Amino acid sequence: MENIEQLKQTTLKQIDEASDVKSLEDIKVSVMGKKGALTEEMKKLALLSVEEKKQMGQMLNVIKSEIEKALETKKQELFAKELNEKLAKETIDVTLPIREENIGRIHPVSKIYEEVVAIFGEMGFEVADGPDIEDQFHNFNALNTPANHPARQMQDTFYITNPESDNFDDSYVVRTQTSAVQIRTMEKKQPPIRIIAPGRTYRSDYDATHTPMFHQVEGLVIDKKTSFANLKGCLYDFVKTFFEVDELPVRYRPSYFPFTEPSAEMDIGCKKSKTELKIGAGDDWLEILGCGMVHPNVLKACGIDPEEYQGFAFGLGLDRLAMLKYGIPDLRTFFESDVRWLKHYGFMPLDESSMTGGLSNNGGLVR
């Protein structure tokens, strides 16, 4: 018994003095391994009488438990020590200057998103969001889009089968426009309403200026005295601020959208040549967005009285805005994950857009 007690004391001392996890494992093997000292003592139990075996067995089990507990405690202590040493070596001195070449670039679409939110946020608009997978009511029906409208054809829209219904009218769609967010907002919130709804949208199209997935921002204002003049003033302030042009000619052409009446398309002045497109005063025009006064049927579908309230809506593509503002010729390159392209067209991560600090801050644009 004295030998066993001495073994326990020696082992506990070795565990306490262990300097790393490997040394701890070596101690464990030397004591409790197949040929370990404590294992050998347990093998001797077979040579003892029943009474001696019972007494000695209890003692060995107690010693074994004490050693296992000491091993686990020391192991956790060593792990914590190693982790702290590792963290101490990996600390970052935040006072050091930024190493610009190693921190990557912000995608132009993310930058445009920041700019648009900054401008409309200054005008008092809130940012609203909604699901990418929509039912046909929110994506089409509530927007006064008839069943035979071309936008609802399968060559233009991605449909998803509803597992609970065989009726095609119950199918879901991958939203074709963020106008569905406007509907959801009007269902949940009473006027006055002033929101923008930026987000991903999806249509079956693919060429230099169209992709199956792209980004839109739509705006909605609902109040008792909202007019087309308010719409024109809002959009003029936006395009002038966004393109950072003091004098920007604009015009409105009559158009048709199922969800607005009257409807219009907004053009901005520009100067075109074979190699350049310059936004501002010039002899040419460029269509930039669609807009109009919210159709009374849309208000009714959302539970808003069109006799008491009216409003305007508009929509434009974030990707196209990026192409125009930063001279990017092909929309498809936005989604090809080419690091070289991003390094060329991207922005520095700390180049934040704001109305006070500047929007594009062209010093951050890599060229």
Side-chain angles (χ1 to χ4, degrees):
M1 291 188 181
E2 291 180 4
N3 292 338
I4 297 174
E5 184 64 26
Q6 181 63 38
L7 173 62
K8 183 184 82 168
Q9 296 301 328
T10 301
T11 303
L12 291 177
K13 183 178 179 182
Q14 291 176 340
I15 292 172
D16 185 60
E17 295 175 350
S19 59
D20 53 52
V21 176
K22 185 179 182 306
S23 300
L24 209 60
E25 289 297 323
D26 292 340
I27 295 171
K28 182 178 180 180
V29 171
S30 68
V31 177
M32 294 189 294
K34 289 184 178 180
K35 297 182 179 181
L38 191 60
T39 305
E40 292 297 326
E41 292 296 331
M42 289 185 171
K43 290 179 180 177
K44 295 178 183 179
L45 292 175
L47 304 176
L48 302 177
S49 64
V50 174
E51 190 62 33
E52 291 175 328
K53 186 184 295 184
K54 180 179 179 182
Q55 184 180 1
M56 185 63 71
Q58 289 177 346
M59 180 180 294
L60 291 173
N61 284 332
V62 171
I63 292 173
K64 182 181 179 183
S65 296
E66 290 181 17
I67 292 174
E68 287 178 338
K69 183 178 179 180
L71 284 168
E72 183 61 28
T73 302
K74 188 65 177 181
K75 185 177 180 180
Q76 295 300 324
E77 179 184 323
L78 290 173
F79 272 140
K81 181 182 177 183
E82 289 180 7
L83 178 60
N84 290 333
E85 290 176 352
K86 184 177 181 182
L87 291 174
K89 292 178 181 178
E90 296 179 354
T91 53
I92 299 174
D93 185 353
V94 295
T95 64
L96 288 174
I98 296 173
R99 298 174 178 86
E100 295 184 353
E101 69 276 8
N102 296 326
I103 59 176
R105 297 287 184 269
I106 297 296
H107 196 285
V109 171
S110 299
K111 183 64 175 174
I112 293 297
Y113 176 95
E114 290 179 1
E115 295 180 16
V116 169
V117 170
I119 296 171
F120 283 114
E122 190 75 11
M123 296 183 189
F125 284 77
E126 298 178 3
V127 177
D129 194 13
D132 286 19
I133 307 300
E134 274 291 3
D135 54 59
Q136 294 191 51
F137 172 79
H138 290 92
N139 197 79
F140 291 127
N141 298 356
L143 289 162
N144 200 39
T145 306
N148 61 352
H149 194 278
R152 302 185 71 154
Q153 302 305 308
M154 296 191 71
Q155 65 264 27
D156 293 318
T157 301
F158 295 109
Y159 284 91
I160 299 176
T161 302
N162 186 340
E164 299 180 357
S165 175
D166 294 330
N167 189 342
F168 178 77
D169 292 338
D170 295 329
S171 301
Y172 295 108
V173 297
V174 189
R175 68 180 181 189
T176 60
Q177 54 204 359
T178 53
S179 303
V181 180
Q182 299 180 21
I183 300 300
R184 291 184 176 276
T185 301
M186 286 189 284
E187 286 179 329
K188 295 183 294 184
K189 186 177 180 180
Q190 288 297 311
I193 297 172
R194 185 181 296 187
I195 63 155
I196 56 169
R200 293 184 297 268
T201 52
Y202 310 81
R203 294 179 192 173
S204 184
D205 209 349
Y206 187 69
D207 56 38
T209 57
H210 300 85
T211 56
M213 189 276 286
F214 55 101
H215 301 82
Q216 273 190 344
V217 59
E218 300 198 19
L220 174 71
V221 174
I222 302 293
D223 210 334
K224 292 184 177 181
K225 297 182 179 180
T226 306
S227 67
F228 204 96
N230 299 138
L231 168 62
K232 292 173 66 177
C234 174
L235 294 180
Y236 177 69
D237 286 345
F238 168 73
V239 294
K240 187 174 69 169
T241 305
F242 177 79
F243 288 107
E244 300 172 81
V245 178
D246 292 333
E247 296 296 332
L248 181 58
V250 299
R251 71 178 185 184
Y252 295 86
R253 292 177 290 104
S255 186
Y256 168 76
F257 304 109
F259 32 83
T260 53
E261 179 58 40
S263 303
E265 290 184 347
M266 180 184 185
D267 298 337
I268 57 175
C270 64
K271 187 176 182 180
K272 299 178 183 177
S273 68
K274 292 182 178 180
T275 59
E276 185 182 24
L277 172 65
K278 185 176 181 180
I279 304 296
D283 299 327
D284 302 301
W285 294 96
L286 180 69
E287 186 269 319
I288 192 70
L289 59 83
C291 60
M293 300 300 292
V294 178
H295 199 292
N297 290 346
V298 175
L299 296 175
K300 289 179 183 177
C302 299
I304 296 176
D305 185 0
E307 297 295 328
E308 183 177 3
Y309 293 100
Q310 60 188 24
F312 64 77
F314 57 87
L316 59 159
L318 293 177
D319 313 292
R320 186 159 181 264
L321 287 177
M323 294 175 71
L324 292 173
K325 188 167 185 177
Y326 298 118
I328 304 173
D330 194 324
L331 181 61
R332 292 169 292 191
T333 57
F334 281 63
F335 310 101
E336 291 177 352
S337 302
D338 189 329
V339 176
R340 297 167 300 176
W341 180 90
L342 185 58
K343 188 174 182 180
H344 179 72
Y345 286 109
F347 291 81
M348 300 308 299
L350 299 182
D351 179 23
E352 184 176 354
S353 299
S354 70
M355 293 298 290
T356 54
L359 285 178
S360 60
N361 190 2
N362 289 328
L365 185 63
V366 180
R367 283 289 182 265

